[in-house]
Amino acid sequence: MKKGELRKQELQEKMSIHILTNGLQSVSLRNLAKAVGTSDRMLLHYYQDKEELMTEVLTQISDNLITILEQARTVAIPFNQLVPHLYQLIKDPVVKPYIQLWLELIARASKNEEPYFSIAKQIGDSFINYCSELIQADEEEKEKLAPLTFIIIEGIAMLDAIDFESNIEKALDGLSGFQK
């Protein structure tokens, strides 16, 4: 790998950490440059514009989360066991900043802001594919249950963000009788 590519990769990793720690509110070229110890002009040396920079950094963050999830991977399990399993994952302190960032990203994506909208769709597709691999079911059922899992986990993430633990637990108890 060339020196410039290594430097870009290093900057991107530092920007990823900064965004995970501080959220999207702190995202401006100037703030990102300051956080990684360079100038905003230097960032634009490596990226065409802020949109390309954000696309690459948020994609890297998403890839990092998928790696974390893959490491916590279990054998395929039934839907009614998968949802509580994923709930425990999103409560993990290592995963929690990713979930908080995801909620911010969704808020911006809901306004059709780019690159957030495209990135959120990409992350959503990746998570649905991840769920599909974990669900113990035939292919036809997986096609239905993977998006349902994603929708449920989204709801849980939102409720968890506002500390609705008892409601989440009630919902998970109700899910335990589900037979798919």
Side-chain angles (χ1 to χ4, degrees):
M1 192 176 282
K2 294 180 181 177
K3 184 178 178 180
E5 291 171 8
L6 284 172
R7 177 69 175 142
K8 180 180 178 180
Q9 190 176 21
E10 175 188 328
L11 291 172
Q12 197 164 300
E13 184 61 37
K14 288 179 179 178
M15 286 185 283
S16 296
I17 292 167
H18 175 76
I19 291 171
L20 270 174
T21 303
N22 299 292
L24 294 175
Q25 301 302 324
S26 68
V27 173
S28 71
L29 282 177
R30 188 164 288 142
N31 286 346
L32 289 172
K34 184 178 179 184
V36 300
T38 193
S39 68
D40 49 344
R41 280 192 228 163
M42 185 52 79
L43 287 180
L44 291 175
H45 170 76
Y46 293 108
Y47 302 93
Q48 220 173 2
D49 53 26
K50 182 181 174 187
E51 187 170 317
E52 179 185 32
L53 180 150
M54 290 304 298
T55 298
E56 288 192 29
V57 172
L58 290 172
T59 298
Q60 179 176 339
I61 291 170
S62 171
D63 291 345
N64 292 347
L65 176 58
I66 293 295
T67 299
I68 291 168
L69 294 174
E70 289 289 332
Q71 291 171 348
R73 183 179 225 161
T74 183
V75 296
I77 55 178
F79 171 75
N80 65 343
Q81 294 173 24
L82 178 60
V83 172
H85 169 74
L86 292 173
Y87 173 54
Q88 291 308 311
L89 279 178
I90 67 172
K91 289 187 71 62
D92 184 308
V94 172
V95 176
K96 196 92 166 156
Y98 291 91
I99 301 305
Q100 291 168 336
L101 181 61
W102 171 248
L103 293 174
E104 272 191 85
L105 182 63
I106 287 298
R108 290 195 177 198
S110 72
K111 297 174 186 172
N112 287 329
E113 283 184 49
E114 286 296 347
Y116 308 108
F117 183 82
S118 299
I119 293 166
K121 285 187 69 92
Q122 176 188 336
I123 292 169
D125 286 339
S126 294
F127 191 76
I128 289 171
N129 288 334
Y130 172 76
C131 291
S132 182
E133 292 173 13
L134 287 179
I135 296 172
Q136 186 181 57
D138 63 36
E139 290 306 312
E140 187 176 322
E141 285 298 310
K142 284 182 180 188
E143 281 188 41
K144 297 172 189 173
L145 292 175
L148 180 58
T149 303
F150 182 56
I151 290 167
I152 292 170
I153 293 300
E154 281 296 299
I156 287 173
M158 289 182 358
L159 292 175
D160 186 59
I162 57 173
D163 200 26
F164 267 45
E165 181 81 24
S166 65
N167 289 305
I168 294 169
E169 293 298 331
K170 288 175 191 174
L172 291 175
D173 284 345
L175 188 61
S176 65
F178 191 81
Q179 295 300 314
K180 292 273 178 178

